Amino acid sequence: MSDSFDSQGSSGFILPGKPERALKHEFIPRRGGPPEFRYCQGDWAKSVVHCVIDDLPFAEGALRSCYRMQLVNKDSTRHNVVAKVSKDPSEDRNTYYRDVQAQMCSKLWAVEFNALPVPKKIDFVPAYVFELVDRPGRPLIGVEEFVEGVFVKHNNNVGGTVGDTERATPNAFSHFTWEASNRTILVCDIQGVDDVYTDPQIHTASGKGFGRGNLGQAGVHAFLARHRCTQMCDFLGLQSVGAATRWTADASGAVPERRGTPCGGGGPMAGP
């Protein structure tokens, strides 16, 4: 994120206003369940925290406004985070939970990716749902750790490469999730600061889960048709994909098993 708290450290800048109570909902993922939801089953842990939220947003996207926010510890020190608030006042409350679940699920796929001898390790910012219990209607907000730096979007949810197009790691990670999950999920819409990402979208082969942004096989097909393999994909042993590749479900709706050769040969070696 290019906008900072202008702080002198994690507690150097104090947001004005009286701290308010919030109920923090933290998703604790666990292994198990159907393959496409391998890291998406889990439990929600609750705890009471105190926080201060700025009055005005410092950044805006198509669907969310971002506010500076500080968690107030018992010793009165503060910790910088970001509050993400829907622009739609009638937003389904479950959307906040689905977004956090997708991010924490993606974080565990990043752990699998990092277990390989990749040149750049990646991560996803921890995310939570906060319930502002002292406000009318107990509104929900998304909250995640504040990361200092320049925010870059690497790809979108249909395979379009944006931002720094020479980066191989973000796009290879998306391709990796499709192959490593035995073609059941694809993590995309990769964006963030350096290789610490946020707000991913997950497409599933079944089209189930992860909200309206899950375009199912249509989203997977669109992404893979636009994806340009690099030597990073070749290094990881991923099957070549691109405009000539067709991904067609069988009569049961399942995507066929991997066939063909690993990618490489024609793909450029982009910067990691």
Side-chain angles (χ1 to χ4, degrees):
M1 298 176 186
S2 58
D3 293 85
S4 71
F5 275 80
D6 296 324
S7 65
Q8 303 167 9
S10 62
S11 60
F13 174 75
I14 304 297
L15 284 173
K18 181 181 179 181
E20 62 180 298
R21 292 186 308 152
L23 188 60
K24 174 183 175 182
H25 300 258
E26 180 177 2
F27 183 67
I28 312 297
R30 63 173 184 271
R31 290 178 179 268
E36 68 180 339
F37 300 117
R38 182 160 80 200
Y39 292 131
C40 305
Q41 307 295 309
D43 303 295
W44 289 92
K46 299 179 182 180
S47 59
V48 177
V49 298
H50 291 81
C51 61
V52 178
I53 306 172
D54 207 356
D55 292 330
L56 299 175
F58 72 90
E60 295 195 27
L63 302 176
R64 301 279 189 269
S65 297
C66 296
Y67 295 79
R68 294 176 176 84
M69 176 175 170
Q70 291 180 329
L71 302 182
V72 183
N73 302 315
K74 291 182 179 180
D75 61 0
S76 297
T77 59
R78 298 196 176 197
H79 179 66
N80 294 333
V81 293
V82 174
K84 296 185 174 182
V85 183
S86 174
K87 291 183 174 181
D88 181 2
S90 61
E91 177 77 88
D92 181 358
R93 289 170 69 89
N94 286 328
T95 299
Y96 286 102
Y97 293 97
R98 286 193 293 261
D99 288 349
V100 167
Q101 188 179 22
Q103 191 148 321
M104 299 311 290
C105 176
S106 299
K107 188 175 178 70
L108 289 181
W109 280 111
V111 171
E112 278 206 22
F113 183 80
N114 293 340
L116 302 173
V118 292
K120 290 288 185 73
K121 305 296 185 182
I122 68 171
D123 199 4
F124 283 83
V125 180
Y128 316 94
V129 178
F130 275 38
E131 185 177 355
L132 305 179
V133 297
D134 292 328
R135 299 193 186 191
R138 298 169 69 105
L140 300 180
I141 60 173
V143 175
E144 62 182 42
E145 297 294 324
F146 178 82
V147 181
E148 185 75 43
V150 179
F151 190 92
V152 177
K153 189 176 180 73
H154 299 286
N155 64 44
N156 59 30
N157 65 344
V158 291
T161 302
V162 294
D164 186 352
T165 58
E166 295 305 312
R167 290 295 315 286
T169 296
N171 295 293
F173 170 70
S174 291
H175 188 178
F176 163 81
T177 59
W178 176 243
E179 295 290 340
S181 68
N182 199 23
R183 297 186 175 180
T184 58
I185 67 105
L186 189 146
V187 180
C188 55
D189 212 6
I190 305 299
Q191 55 200 308
V193 176
D194 294 326
D195 285 304
V196 180
Y197 307 141
T198 183
D199 287 338
Q201 178 58 57
I202 298 180
H203 299 316
T204 60
S206 67
K208 297 178 181 178
F210 305 111
R212 293 175 295 177
N214 178 5
L215 303 180
Q217 290 191 34
V220 171
H221 295 179
F223 188 97
L224 295 177
R226 291 173 176 83
H227 173 69
R228 183 179 65 169
C229 282
T230 67
Q231 289 182 23
M232 174 78 77
C233 299
D234 186 24
F235 174 74
L236 295 174
L238 306 178
Q239 180 181 335
S240 179
V241 298
T245 307
R246 297 189 63 189
W247 305 90
T248 305
D250 60 23
S252 69
V255 179
E257 293 295 319
R258 291 194 289 247
R259 295 176 184 172
T261 58
C263 63
M269 184 55 179

